[in-house]
Structures are given as C-alpha cells and as structure tokens.
Amino acid sequence: MVTVLVLSGVGIAGVLILRRVRPDLYRMVVGGPVARVRVGWTYGSVMDACGLTVPPSRARIAVARALRREMPANRPPKLLRLRTTRTGLVARVRLQPGQDAFDVITAADRLRHAWRLHQVTVKELRSGVLELSMTGYDVLSRVHLPVRSERSALRVPVAMREDGGVHYRDFRKVPHSLVLGATESGKSVYQRGLVKELARQPVALVGIDCKQGVELAPLARRFTALADNPDTAADLLEALVAEMIERFQVIRTAQRISADTSDAEITSDIWGLPEKIRPIPIVVMVDEVAELLLVASASEKKRRERIITALIRLGQLARAAGIYLEVCGQRFGSELGDGATMLRAQLTGRVCHRVNDEASAKMAFGDISPEALGSVLSIAPEQPGTAVAADTSGGWARVRTPDTSLRDAVAACNRYAHLTPDVAALDAFRPVLPPLPGSTPPAVAPAPATA
C-alpha cells in the first residue's frame, strides 16, 4: 500500500513538473485527451448555451407531429472532426442553415470559458465550414517551436502564433517585409532566428548594418556581402540593382518563346528557369533602416538619394530576380524623407514588436489592418519577442519568437559557412574573416580562374 502511494505521488509530481516545464508535451500526454473528452461530451449543450443552435427543420417537425413524437431539439453546428495537437485541440464544424461565421467568432470567448481553455480562435476554411483552434495554455509565455516544422525553399519557421500554429517567413509568397520594434523589444532576436534558419538553405545572405556591424558582423561567415556604414551600403545596393538587371537578361534569354515552346517552359522569374542556369536567391537584411535614410548635412543628401532609389527599385522589381528585402528599424515613416512611404508600400509583410508610440504602430498597420493597432500597443516590456505579424491582405496574428541567443546564431552560421555562395557582382563586399579555430589553410593558394 505504501509503495502504491509513493508511486502515485511520484507520478503526480512528474505530471505537475511536466505541466510547468514543457506544457506542450503535457497537453499531448495528459491535458489534450482530457480536454478532448470534455469538449466532445459537452459539445451540444455548450453550443446551445452559447446561442449557436438553430431550430429543427420544418420537415423534422412535421415528421415528429405525424408520429406523435417529442419535438426535436435545436441543432448545433455539426462537429466534423476533433483532434489533439501539441497546444490544445482543433475542431472542424459545419454550420447549419441560417448560421454565419460571425456568430461563432462572436461567441469564441464564451466557448473558451465553457470549456476552460486559454483561447479559442475561429477561422473560415470555406463556405459553411469553420475551424476552431483551441489552446489549453498561454502558448506565447514559453515558446517551443515544433521540431518537425514544415521547412522548404525560402520558407522557414520564425515564431509561434497565439492560436498554437507556427508562423512562417515565406519569401516566395511575401517577398519583402518590414520589421519594427523599439529597443529591447525582441527585434534583434527575430532577426537572429531568421538568419539561423536561412543559414542551412542554399541562399545568399546580404547584410546592411550601419551600427558598424555589431548585429550582423558576428554572423558574417554565412554572409555573401556585408556593409557596416552608409557609404558602403549605397555601393552595395547599387551592385544589387545591377545584379537584378543582369538576372532579367538571363530570364529574357532563356524564355525563347516560340510556337513549339510548352507553357511550362515559359517564365517571367528565376523559379521557372532550368536549375543549372537558375541564379541563387538573395535575401537582403537591412538593420536600422533609419541610419541609411537620415541625413545630417547637405553633403549626405546625394548618398541618401542613391540609397532610397536603389531600395525602391529592389522593392518594385527584385522579386522576379530572386532578390528579397527584410527591412528592420525602430521607426519607419514619412519623417525619414522623400521615398520612405513609397518604399513602405512595397514591403508586403509587416511584423511589429513593442513600440514607444502609437504613430510607430500606425506606420506598420495603419494602411493594411487598423484592428492590429490595439494588439501592438498592449505588448508589455516584460514580453520581449512578442509581436503582431500581418501582410497586405489584412490578416494578422499575435506571435512570439523563441529565444535565440547570439551564440546560437553564430554557431549555426559557422556550421553552414560552407554553403555561402559566391555572387560575382558582390565580391567587393565579401566580409574578410580570419579562419575558424582548428582549421588549416590550404598549402597552395588557389589561382584565379582565367578565360
């Protein structure tokens, strides 16, 4: 008997420790199955209590009267599927005639309380079919990205969404993005995590860090080009524009449209080219964009015009050439001068961390999703890494990035340094670094290739 009590106590203690240390595993092992039984058992009564039922059809009422049976009860949305996830439950329901998705969205908070869950998020999959994502705990309090995230070319996981899903940075769908955040808001951690994920992919990383490279220089072994001051950045951006134009010529030459050319071989971007001639994609990461666009004297205006012109051209045209922008800053708006608002219009993706004023949040979401402003302004300083992610479609979600230390990002860049591609147009900006500890230089220096 004593042994049974001891083992029971150890088991309960283990479950409580698991719940605190790894809530995602706890939900999969214990909390998820319990919540699934509770939701499935009380589904009909909860829907009725929340006003999400409709009266029975006239045919059913007529049959009940003809057979002198009890009148059928009101019908809730039909539960099509209920499955357990690492953060809670996901239910798929089909609405009854006369119901609307807005009815369920309005009742989401009542459903959360009725089922004793942390959050219920409603998403419309198609006409008449909704998906209810239910989280059993605060997913953003301690972020653990799933090990088996769906990575693919230029699509990497960067944060956890409030509804329990993974937020991906997909450069092919959202080619250019703007990332805003005040000091100590987690913006640099977001950038490090993105570099860490991209380091393992066949992509050229280009960095512009006008804080003398303190943010990106430690990661330079994985960077094809790096600029640490505005003068070098201006030359680097113009070199990228020249590379973009050259890639357009490659695409145009490879098109060769004729009557016998199949539709699959016709393309207007690099992704339709044969792999053997396809240029390597380039991701340009700009840290503290204000340092590029602000001028302190009349002599710097010419340099600023070169920079903003090159950025706008890349934002407008570079997607087809496989060149993508990730622009970061504490604030971004018209006060940065002519062309800043035009550049912002080209940045489809928006990620806004904690900011110091409402105007900064409006710079990110005022033109695409005003509803996200309140969520941004409610981010507390005690929640570094929390942000609101959106795009120009108007959809938005609250996300939080996992804690990625500078050491972790540097280790990843050093591990995949051999994947750093050479881009001839950017050779002049290749960072010069000492060899890694333990590596031996070649006995004979390689001779440059000659024609």
Side-chain angles (χ1 to χ4, degrees):
M1 183 66 178
V2 175
T3 305
V4 174
L5 292 177
V6 171
L7 292 177
S8 300
V10 172
I12 294 173
V15 170
L16 294 177
I17 293 174
L18 181 66
R19 181 178 182 178
R20 181 172 182 83
V21 177
R22 289 300 301 271
D24 53 340
L25 295 181
Y26 170 81
R27 297 302 303 181
M28 287 291 294
V29 177
V30 180
V34 172
R36 183 171 181 173
V37 171
R38 183 169 62 248
V39 171
W41 182 265
T42 63
Y43 176 79
S45 59
V46 168
M47 287 291 177
D48 187 39
C50 293
L52 295 177
T53 57
V54 297
S57 63
R58 294 180 179 179
R60 296 183 64 187
I61 294 176
V63 170
R65 286 176 177 174
L67 299 178
R68 297 182 179 180
R69 293 180 178 176
E70 184 180 354
M71 287 296 170
N74 291 347
R75 296 173 298 167
K78 184 176 178 56
L79 183 61
L80 301 178
R81 186 173 66 180
L82 182 63
R83 61 183 177 90
T84 305
T85 66
R86 62 191 298 270
T87 58
L89 301 172
V90 174
R92 183 170 296 183
V93 301
R94 185 173 65 229
L95 298 178
Q96 298 289 355
Q99 290 183 321
D100 184 75
F102 182 75
D103 299 333
V104 184
I105 294 173
T106 305
D109 201 50
R110 298 196 294 272
L111 295 174
R112 175 176 70 89
H113 287 293
W115 285 323
R116 298 193 297 276
L117 299 168
H118 179 76
Q119 183 179 358
V120 176
T121 304
V122 182
K123 180 174 65 175
E124 184 176 354
L125 299 181
R126 59 182 183 272
S127 180
V129 178
L130 305 180
E131 184 177 82
L132 279 63
S133 300
M134 298 171 277
T135 56
Y137 65 99
D138 186 1
V139 177
L140 303 186
S141 63
R142 188 173 299 169
V143 178
H144 294 284
L145 288 176
V147 177
R148 297 182 179 179
S149 299
E150 298 177 2
R151 295 174 175 86
S152 59
L154 290 173
R155 184 177 184 266
V156 295
V158 293
M160 180 68 75
R161 297 166 61 97
E162 192 175 25
D163 61 2
V166 178
H167 177 67
Y168 292 90
R169 177 69 176 96
D170 193 337
F171 288 90
R172 295 187 63 177
K173 288 186 177 179
V174 183
H176 312 305
S177 181
L178 175 64
V179 182
L180 296 180
T183 303
E184 298 296 327
S185 65
K187 175 169 56 67
S188 297
V189 176
Y190 176 90
Q191 192 178 55
R192 285 179 210 152
L194 184 57
V195 173
K196 179 182 176 182
E197 288 291 337
L198 289 174
R200 67 182 72 186
Q201 296 208 6
V203 58
L205 298 178
V206 174
I208 298 176
D209 182 5
C210 291
K211 294 189 297 186
Q212 296 300 309
V214 295
E215 292 288 348
L216 298 181
L219 315 174
R221 294 192 185 278
R222 185 56 184 84
F223 276 73
T224 299
L226 184 63
D228 60 3
N229 60 80
D231 292 323
T232 307
D235 296 335
L236 174 56
L237 289 170
E238 290 179 343
L240 286 168
V241 172
E243 171 69 12
M244 175 185 69
I245 295 174
E246 184 175 338
R247 292 185 175 200
F248 286 151
Q249 295 298 327
V250 173
I251 296 171
R252 186 174 178 179
T253 302
Q255 282 177 331
R256 302 183 181 278
I257 299 177
S258 60
D260 57 347
T261 303
S262 64
D263 293 344
E265 297 177 0
I266 301 175
T267 182
S268 60
D269 57 36
I270 67 167
W271 300 106
L273 297 176
E275 189 173 352
K276 61 181 180 180
I277 64 171
R278 183 188 304 156
I280 193 78
I282 300 175
V283 175
V284 183
M285 311 198 71
V286 180
D287 187 71
E288 296 299 346
V289 64
E291 290 298 320
L292 288 177
L293 303 182
L294 289 177
V295 294
S297 62
S299 60
E300 297 178 351
K301 285 187 176 181
K302 186 175 182 181
R303 181 192 67 200
R304 183 198 175 281
E305 291 177 359
R306 293 170 55 200
I307 291 174
I308 192 63
T309 301
L311 283 173
I312 291 175
R313 295 189 68 187
L314 291 172
Q316 290 179 333
L317 308 173
R319 181 207 62 81
I323 302 176
Y324 309 97
L325 297 178
E326 193 78 11
V327 180
C328 303
Q330 297 186 34
R331 183 174 170 84
F332 192 89
S334 58
E335 71 276 1
L336 296 182
D338 295 339
T341 305
M342 186 176 181
L343 172 62
R344 186 187 64 165
Q346 307 300 325
L347 305 176
T348 307
R350 309 285 172 83
V351 177
C352 188
H353 297 76
R354 177 180 57 82
V355 291
N356 294 325
D357 59 322
E358 184 178 356
S360 298
K362 288 182 177 179
M363 295 298 176
F365 300 124
D367 59 334
I368 60 173
S369 182
E371 295 82 5
L373 293 179
S375 184
V376 171
L377 297 175
S378 66
I379 299 175
E382 295 78 18
Q383 298 174 315
T386 305
V388 174
D391 54 50
T392 51
S393 67
W396 63 277
R398 198 177 176 96
V399 302
R400 191 175 187 184
T401 55
D403 185 19
T404 303
S405 66
L406 184 59
R407 182 179 295 274
D408 293 337
V410 170
C413 290
N414 291 344
R415 186 183 310 118
Y416 299 107
H418 63 283
L419 298 179
T420 306
D422 292 321
V423 180
L426 307 179
D427 283 344
F429 308 96
R430 187 71 178 259
V432 179
L433 299 168
L436 287 171
S439 62
T440 56
V444 179
T450 57

